[in-house]
Amino acid sequence: PINTENDEHGLIVSFDGKYALFASNRFSKESGGGLDIVYFELPKNLRPERVLLIEGKIENINGDTLPQIQAIDLSSNKKYDASIDTLQQRFGVVVNIENSEAIVLTTADTGYLPAPQVIYLKETDSINPPAKKNINMSLSKFDIGEKYILQNLNFEYNSSALKKEAKIILDLWAKFLKEHPQVEISIEGHTDDIGSDEFNMKLSTERAKAVYDYFLASGIEPHRMHYSGFGKSKPLFPNTTPENRELNRRTEIIIIKK
């Protein structure tokens, strides 16, 4: 029992949520007097929900008012508004990750490119409450030539089929495009150097068209969008390592008219 005739107080829960600790003098005779720290395993139905603290610096805001940062749960589409430290130009937000696959971090400010970042929880080593993730948000007001990169992870392997997280990112872009009806975009697909030129050109074009078709289905007018594939002809980095190849496999959304 927790509450006995002894002096017992100060119940707290461990960082991983599995144990409860409190101070007690029930073992004072064995320990030489005073209070001891006693712990027990919490039943699963009493353990706290898993949460993730996301914080970081807001970069490239050019002295403008800091935009609102928002975290979106990929599984439930629940939105969490971040707290903003205007003096330090930092943000922080706590999200419930109990049943979440990933968190999308973006800006809710209509004057900025969505620039969403995806936090894949299955790839995070220390998702135990209260886990912490540091991410800097590089944001800028949209202008001609600004681009956003959809990495290869947003598509099924060697396919143009969009993953669930890609659709959430594209929904943010569709919202941005509806809020700025004068904006036109170019959607450009790219691959690494593995595979034939013909295969890579076809895959990059199909991925760019998949993004185009998604926007089209979301209500974006076709005359505001152009798509093309470049295969392996425009790498960002030399195709010398697996990491570089992964970065080269991408689809870019570029502002061409504002």
Side-chain angles (χ1 to χ4, degrees):
I2 299 174
N3 190 19
T4 69
E5 70 277 6
N6 297 290
D7 183 13
E8 292 160 338
H9 53 83
L11 182 71
I12 62 172
V13 178
S14 62
F15 274 8
D16 61 10
K18 294 181 180 179
Y19 299 96
L21 304 90
F22 62 95
S24 173
N25 68 349
R26 69 175 68 182
F27 303 113
S28 60
K29 290 183 180 180
E30 293 89 342
S31 63
L35 295 172
D36 297 300
I37 296 177
V38 180
Y39 74 95
F40 62 93
E41 187 171 349
L42 276 174
K44 288 187 177 179
N45 65 322
L46 296 179
R47 294 177 184 177
E49 294 181 325
R50 300 164 69 218
V51 296
L52 177 66
L53 168 62
I54 308 170
E55 63 177 13
K57 188 173 179 61
I58 305 174
E59 301 175 335
N60 296 339
I61 47 82
N62 300 321
D64 297 318
T65 302
L66 293 181
Q68 178 59 52
I69 303 297
Q70 195 172 70
I72 304 173
D73 187 333
L74 175 65
S75 302
S76 66
N77 207 31
K78 184 176 180 179
K79 298 177 175 62
Y80 301 84
D81 289 331
S83 297
I84 304 295
D85 183 338
T86 56
L87 184 62
Q88 299 295 325
Q89 295 186 346
R90 296 185 63 83
F91 72 94
V93 59
V94 176
V95 298
N96 186 327
I97 59 170
E98 187 64 38
N99 298 301
S100 181
E101 300 172 3
I103 300 294
V104 178
L105 199 63
T106 185
T107 174
D109 194 311
T110 59
Y112 291 78
L113 291 181
Q117 296 190 46
V118 182
I119 303 171
Y120 297 94
L121 300 178
K122 61 183 179 181
E123 296 178 1
T124 304
D125 295 329
S126 57
I127 298 299
N128 286 314
K132 181 178 177 181
K133 188 80 172 177
N134 289 294
I135 293 182
N136 291 335
M137 293 291 290
S138 181
L139 302 172
S140 59
K141 291 193 173 182
F142 68 92
D143 203 352
I144 294 175
E146 295 284 351
K147 69 174 65 175
Y148 175 75
I149 296 177
L150 276 170
Q151 292 292 356
N152 181 62
L153 288 171
N154 297 118
F155 295 91
E156 300 294 344
Y157 178 71
N158 273 355
S159 166
S160 60
L162 291 163
K163 288 185 176 181
K164 183 178 180 179
E165 56 264 31
K167 294 177 181 178
I168 286 186
I169 290 172
L170 294 181
D171 284 343
L172 294 171
W173 267 92
K175 179 175 179 289
F176 168 83
L177 291 170
K178 289 176 182 178
E179 290 170 345
H180 300 88
Q182 77 283 6
V183 169
E184 295 182 11
I185 59 171
S186 175
I187 306 163
E188 302 181 357
H190 304 270
T191 68
D192 60 19
D193 63 343
I194 296 177
S196 67
D197 290 351
E198 182 182 2
F199 173 81
N200 284 327
M201 188 63 71
K202 181 174 181 291
L203 179 61
S204 63
T205 303
E206 288 177 348
R207 286 185 168 178
K209 187 177 186 299
V211 175
Y212 172 91
D213 289 341
Y214 192 89
F215 285 151
L216 199 63
S218 299
I220 308 304
E221 300 87 343
H223 72 271
R224 299 174 58 196
M225 304 180 290
H226 312 273
Y227 73 89
S228 54
F230 292 90
K232 63 182 181 182
S233 64
K234 293 186 175 182
L236 292 175
F237 304 96
N239 284 296
T240 52
T241 66
E243 292 77 16
N244 282 5
R245 288 191 175 96
E246 184 173 330
L247 293 172
N248 288 333
R249 298 191 296 269
R250 70 200 190 276
T251 302
E252 299 179 346
I253 303 173
I254 304 171
I255 303 291
I256 58 175
K257 183 179 179 182
K258 58 175 289 189

